Amino acid sequence: MSRPLIGITTYFDAARWGTWVREAVISPPAYTKAVDRAGGAPVLVPPLSQGAIDGYVRGLSGLILAGGVEVDPAAYGEERDERLEEPQPGRDRFELTLARAAIDAGVPLLGVARGMHVINIALGGTLIPWLPSAVHHERHGASTPHVITVSVSSKVGKAIGDRIEVSTPHNQAVKRLGNGLLAIAWADDQIVEAVELPGHPFCVGVQWHPERGDDNRLVDALVEAAMP
């Protein structure tokens, strides 16, 4: 059986090899390794022309919206907090359009950290632009492991169970859910840690990084959903 093609979004940044420093397409290797372990064939998707999106959607069997710099709050009508990293508006526009096209086409997709936010915004939702100010603590911005509660009836719950310990710093979080999305995992302060789109073959966003470490169950579930 041929392996399903799983797209992984990327970004542009300067990279060094030898004495050269040039702009490069960047993707942490954990994503490609996780897709390979799950039985998929990873394909890197650079944020280039919007005209390429239809081709990606037709050619890919599944999609991972990877983590990275927070989405520019201008994408959902808010002002950017000066404490956020410099946004990548080109990447934001490309990934929001790609996410909408994949959702409309029924392509299985997994949003990781920033990728969860992209799914939420693509469906008309909003984010908390600077989370520490909203929750009055900075635990979400630290790398301290914490336990989250997961709905057992969700695709995420069926893959990983009702509780999981995660460690993933983030300074934004879901505020208003996108159209049709359900919150299916929460931190102890009720910040949404995962979302899901009912009726879609596999449209899941999680705040943590399931591609890291030894637990590959969520990436396994994505690749299984992408199998012909």
Side-chain angles (χ1 to χ4, degrees), residues 12 15 22 38 40 73 78 93 97-98 110 112 135 151 177 182 225:
F12 294 115
R22 293 288 187 273
E78 295 280 354
R93 289 190 296 270
T97 304
L98 178 63
L110 172 63
V112 175
V135 295
S151 167
L177 283 165
L182 292 179

Side-chain angles (χ1 to χ4, degrees), residues 131-150:
L131 184 56
S133 296
V135 295
H136 307 296
H137 63 74
E138 296 188 356
R139 294 199 302 274
H140 290 284
S143 297
T144 306
H146 60 285
V147 175
I148 64 170
T149 302
V150 184

Side-chain angles (χ1 to χ4, degrees), residues 3-10 25-46 63-67 110 112 209-213 216 219-220 222-223:
R3 291 185 166 210
L5 298 179
I6 308 298
I8 302 166
T9 58
T10 64
V25 173
I26 303 296
S27 175
Y31 291 105
T32 55
K33 291 178 180 179
V35 168
D36 181 65
R37 287 198 304 272
V43 176
L44 298 185
V45 177
L63 177 66
I64 293 177
L65 298 169
L110 172 63
V112 175
H209 283 266
E211 80 283 4
R212 298 177 183 171
N216 213 48
V219 181
D220 290 344
L222 168 70
V223 172

Side-chain angles (χ1 to χ4, degrees), residues 68-71 73 76 81 83-85 113-114 117 127-135 137-143 168-174 191 207:
V69 173
E70 289 97 341
V71 178
Y76 48 94
D81 190 287
R83 290 165 289 190
L84 289 173
E85 292 182 76
R114 167 197 158 90
H117 299 165
L127 305 179
I128 300 169
W130 186 253
L131 184 56
S133 296
V135 295
H137 63 74
E138 296 188 356
R139 294 199 302 274
H140 290 284
S143 297
T168 174
H170 59 105
N171 290 311
Q172 293 181 328
V174 169
I191 290 297
Q207 189 65 73

Side-chain angles (χ1 to χ4, degrees), residues 190-216:
Q190 297 308 299
I191 290 297
V192 174
E193 296 274 350
V195 297
E196 189 171 292
L197 184 62
H200 192 278
F202 191 95
C203 180
V204 167
V206 297
Q207 189 65 73
W208 65 94
H209 283 266
E211 80 283 4
R212 298 177 183 171
D214 298 326
D215 188 347
N216 213 48

